[in-house]
Amino acid sequence: MKHRITLRIGPATFRMGSAWPGPIRSLERLYADYPAPADGIADFTVRLEPVSLLRRWLRPSIFITGDHGLADAAPMSLAHGLLAAEMGMNLQMALGWRRHLLLHASSVEKDGRVLVMTGESGSGKSTLAAQLGERGWRLMGDEFALLDLETGTVLPFPRLVSLKNRAIDVIVAEVPAARMGPLLAGTAKGDIRHLAPRADAVARMDEGAPPALLLFPRFGHAPAIRPVGQGETFMRLTQASTNYVALGEPGFAALTRFVTQVPALAMDFPSGEEAIAMVERLWEQQR
Amino acid sequence: MNARLLVRALRDPGTVAQFGAGQWNALIAMARAERLIGTLALRIGDRPVPDAARPILADARLDAEREARQALWEADRAEAALKPLGVRVVLLKGTAYAAAGLKAGEGRFIGDLDILVPRDCMEAVEKHLMLAGWEWVKSDSYDDAYYRQWMHELPPMIHQERDRMIDVHHTILPLTARQRPDAGAMIADAISITDGLHILSPEDRVCHAVAHLLADGDLAGGLRNLWDVHCLLAEADPAALEARAARHGLSPHVRQARRMADALYGAGRERLTLWDRIVLARLLARNGWGKETRKGLRFAFYLRSHWLRMPPTMLARHLFTKWRKGHRPA
């Protein structure tokens, strides 16, 4: 394809091709600090193609596909090209990654141990991870936590953090503009802006750590914390994993170990500041 | 670039030793798009490959193992559901190859479970499958009626718990196709592999794979189907195959498939006709990004697939009905 870039994010390498220069330029800027892939062979190919010949030029419209794709994926406006590229990478991971158990969760690390946060879109897990990442924690990822099948270690997958709607202003206030992507207004999920992780988090993207705590955050409620039983945790994590079924027995073993070894708490919170204070308190109690 | 790179790697996996990163990327993207990555991974086996390619191939081997395990379990479930009927259930395509441990099954992607049963048992088979938890996928009454009247199979069914599809065939080509394979003979000569399950004889396996590739469909995924034919030919007796192909009305198709399999996966000794070359160009229409190329040629084969299936007036009516429902060819 005419415009291309190869990116390595943690253990996965992506070869991205685009019919337009815009999405690739955005990626080049925001992924500038990421180390180059070792030998140029990518785990996945992502293609950003015009929906039809006409849509290359006239009201350009992107069809996201690649090694793995969804035939009925909704086309996206070229103005949202960076989001399309990120979704293309997510799609490959979600449908094709087999080397770790994939949890749809954000993760941050401190003192050599990992806090994993999972929940639906809108639960606040991305924003919370991004905020913690600016306050002494190492951001490991906002979308996927990779659970090693042999050791149970959580590995980072620190791609750009996708901030939505109200979360954008919260983060913009504390992060230099150079690490922020363009404002993508009016996407299917509202306004989106991407955040590049701090350079030190990127530099340590091959460094995993054992999980110490699992949180199910829920934004927009009075502060409350309740323990979540192992059975419920297990079921919720099978639903939060895109490759649990495909991995078969090793996936079951890895998830069982995670659930039996890592305490799980549901955490309701009314605001970001409150959430950070609650997380810091819980983290002290876990030591 | 076209898919010759993939074809060469399948034919002679030793050649990948010289591949650079660009060729590896193209090879992997094409193999995934053609659903041949598992086959490729097994063909490459323990040969030295670059560090970054090794886990990709290992993942593909694991996926293929899981495919086979799931496919055999589905076959087992269908057998259990149909046991009370006492009919001969013949496994077709990928599941058959995996169940019998054939070379064509090594690393093969297996989608749906395809079975062949005698036509006069279709109603009872349908009922017993529904009792065991399978249900209809299509809710469209035109599609449903179309399948029942004109196709060689029931409308596809899906299992409500396991989410896996089953295609129940009573013959191997649509009833509207020009060739009329002798499904009764296929079932009668099928080989027993377990208590209740059968597979086609080696010659009928070739005939079915060839009919699927050349007398039906638009050749999408054809490189994989031709790989099947290439592997199955090695297990068929040439004289018996010729007789069998004649009986099914598929002699020209079998001969053409043999020439093309030789051209792509064999020694390349057979003379090709112009039509062979056109079909090969269609099969190879994919670039190093895994994207299909030659839109015009592909569209021509799409039209041909309908032409093969139906007489012209029926085709016109069918296409009009589908178009009104909003269907557009890719």
Side-chain angles (χ1 to χ4, degrees):
Chain A
M1 297 190 82
K2 199 160 169 212
H3 308 281
R4 52 182 77 176
I5 188 172
T6 299
L7 295 175
R8 180 166 80 81
I9 301 165
T13 305
F14 302 85
R15 174 176 67 141
M16 320 261 299
S18 167
W20 306 271
I24 302 297
R25 262 191 236 127
S26 299
L27 291 172
E28 277 167 350
R29 176 167 86 78
L30 291 163
Y31 282 99
D33 285 343
Y34 284 61
D39 55 7
I41 298 178
D43 294 297
F44 297 114
T45 292
V46 179
R47 308 197 306 263
L48 305 180
E49 300 174 351
V51 172
S52 65
L53 213 54
L54 185 68
R55 289 280 169 258
R56 185 189 196 101
W57 307 109
L58 191 69
R59 282 195 284 124
S61 188
I62 307 176
F63 180 65
I64 308 167
T65 186
D67 289 336
H68 305 276
L70 302 172
D72 54 356
M76 288 181 66
S77 153
L78 181 57
H80 301 152
L82 175 60
L83 178 62
E86 290 285 314
M87 284 173 69
M89 288 192 275
N90 277 348
L91 197 61
Q92 307 312 311
M93 286 301 279
L95 298 178
W97 192 251
R98 298 287 183 268
R99 286 166 230 168
H100 305 92
L101 181 69
L102 218 65
L103 298 177
H104 185 223
S106 65
S107 52
V108 289
E109 177 261 353
K110 194 154 98 170
D111 318 321
R113 298 178 317 143
V114 180
L115 165 65
V116 180
M117 296 178 278
T118 186
E120 301 292 310
S121 188
S123 65
K125 66 179 189 316
S126 280
T127 317
L128 195 45
Q131 285 181 298
L132 290 168
E134 302 300 320
R135 294 159 198 231
W137 295 69
R138 167 166 69 115
L139 177 69
M140 295 176 80
D142 86 311
E143 183 80 21
F144 293 125
L146 311 179
L147 202 58
D148 190 284
L149 297 170
E150 312 269 300
T151 63
T153 298
V154 177
L155 283 141
F157 185 66
R159 44 172 281 270
L160 304 182
V161 178
S162 142
L163 302 165
K164 297 177 192 84
N165 302 317
R166 277 181 293 172
I168 297 173
D169 298 333
V170 174
I171 301 295
V172 164
E174 51 185 303
V175 166
R179 282 176 45 215
M180 297 298 300
L183 175 68
L184 311 175
T187 76
K189 288 188 172 176
D191 293 349
I192 287 185
R193 240 181 126 171
H194 290 91
L195 162 74
R198 297 167 65 99
D200 47 345
V202 172
R204 292 171 66 192
M205 72 182 188
D206 295 321
E207 206 181 297
L213 179 62
L214 172 68
L215 283 184
F216 294 94
R218 201 160 62 127
F219 170 72
H221 295 264
I225 286 167
R226 76 174 171 90
V228 182
Q230 291 185 2
E232 184 185 341
T233 302
F234 190 96
M235 290 313 291
R236 287 173 76 165
L237 289 180
T238 59
Q239 285 160 9
S241 172
T242 54
N243 67 356
Y244 170 71
V245 173
L247 288 174
E249 197 175 341
F252 175 80
L255 192 57
T256 304
R257 172 164 50 195
F258 182 90
V259 166
T260 49
Q261 291 182 355
V262 180
L265 299 169
M267 184 182 92
D268 291 358
F269 62 95
S271 72
E273 288 310 314
E274 187 89 24
I276 289 162
M278 289 168 87
V279 166
E280 296 284 5
R281 273 201 302 277
L282 288 171
W283 196 251
E284 282 307 309
Q285 289 161 18
Q286 293 296 324
R287 288 167 77 98
Chain B
M1 184 186 270
N2 66 21
R4 281 217 179 262
L5 184 79
L6 168 62
V7 165
R8 261 203 308 273
L10 285 168
R11 183 178 60 217
D12 184 4
T15 56
V16 301
Q18 278 94 48
F19 279 13
Q23 284 166 305
W24 271 104
N25 282 330
L27 178 67
I28 290 162
M30 287 182 198
R32 282 193 177 131
E34 294 288 343
R35 295 185 161 174
L36 276 163
I37 185 86
T39 308
L40 177 71
L42 283 169
R43 293 282 294 162
I44 291 174
D46 293 333
R47 290 179 173 81
V49 299
D51 285 345
R54 199 169 303 119
I56 297 171
L57 297 172
D59 288 349
R61 280 190 285 267
L62 280 178
D63 274 344
E65 267 175 42
R66 187 194 71 247
E67 286 280 336
R69 193 162 57 235
Q70 277 186 343
L72 295 180
W73 177 242
E74 282 304 302
D76 179 86
R77 293 297 80 205
E79 186 207 339
L82 299 177
K83 202 168 205 119
L85 280 177
V87 300
R88 217 167 231 229
V89 177
V90 183
L91 299 176
L92 299 174
K93 301 190 215 170
T95 311
Y97 310 154
L102 303 181
K103 188 183 167 211
E106 289 171 7
R108 192 184 188 278
F109 174 86
I110 307 171
D112 310 340
L113 170 62
D114 293 278
I115 60 170
L116 176 69
V117 296
R119 193 171 184 189
D120 55 11
C121 307
M122 293 294 272
E123 230 171 280
V125 166
E126 182 178 351
K127 201 159 71 193
H128 277 75
L129 288 176
M130 294 189 87
L131 285 173
W134 276 274
E135 57 192 17
W136 300 122
V137 179
K138 303 227 177 194
S139 50
D140 181 308
S141 59
Y142 173 77
D143 285 348
D144 190 75
Y146 182 85
Y147 264 94
R148 285 168 196 279
Q149 190 172 1
W150 300 116
M151 287 298 280
H152 51 305
E153 58 195 342
L154 289 176
M157 302 170 86
I158 193 161
H159 196 274
Q160 24 178 267
E161 283 159 20
R162 297 191 303 276
D163 225 22
R164 300 279 294 190
M165 308 257 285
I166 187 167
D167 282 331
V168 183
H169 304 243
H170 58 80
T171 182
I172 61 167
L173 282 177
L175 301 175
T176 46
R178 286 157 188 78
Q179 298 77 28
R180 283 297 177 94
D182 186 345
M186 286 191 164
I187 295 172
D189 293 349
I191 300 162
S192 167
I193 50 165
T194 69
D195 216 7
L197 293 173
H198 294 68
I199 63 169
L200 295 174
S201 74
E203 292 73 31
D204 279 342
R205 291 200 289 269
V206 173
C207 290
H208 179 216
V210 168
H212 185 55
L213 174 68
L214 293 174
D216 191 17
D218 62 1
L219 283 111
L223 282 182
R224 203 275 312 273
N225 295 331
L226 190 64
W227 176 259
D228 286 350
V229 170
H230 167 71
C231 297
L232 294 171
L233 275 170
E235 284 148 5
D237 173 68
L241 175 59
E242 213 159 295
R244 204 63 176 174
R247 173 161 192 173
H248 295 311
L250 291 166
S251 298
H253 301 85
V254 168
R255 281 198 290 271
Q256 186 188 22
R258 201 201 318 250
R259 290 192 300 273
M260 294 198 316
D262 175 70
L264 291 192
Y265 301 125
R269 289 206 194 90
E270 304 228 21
R271 262 183 78 102
L272 297 175
T273 66
L274 178 63
W275 174 234
D276 292 348
R277 289 176 197 278
I278 295 171
V279 176
L280 286 177
R282 165 66 186 89
L283 290 180
L284 294 170
R286 198 173 287 282
N287 69 19
W289 286 82
K291 182 176 165 57
E292 288 188 309
T293 55
R294 312 192 75 152
K295 210 171 163 73
L297 185 63
R298 280 188 289 119
F299 186 66
F301 273 93
Y302 172 80
L303 291 181
R304 171 182 172 271
S305 74
H306 279 76
W307 182 254
L308 290 176
R309 282 186 171 186
M310 303 176 199
T313 49
M314 181 180 168
L315 174 58
R317 201 166 55 230
H318 173 73
L319 290 180
F320 180 65
T321 309
K322 291 301 256 188
W323 181 80
R324 265 197 338 203
K325 286 169 182 291
H327 180 80
R328 301 288 183 274

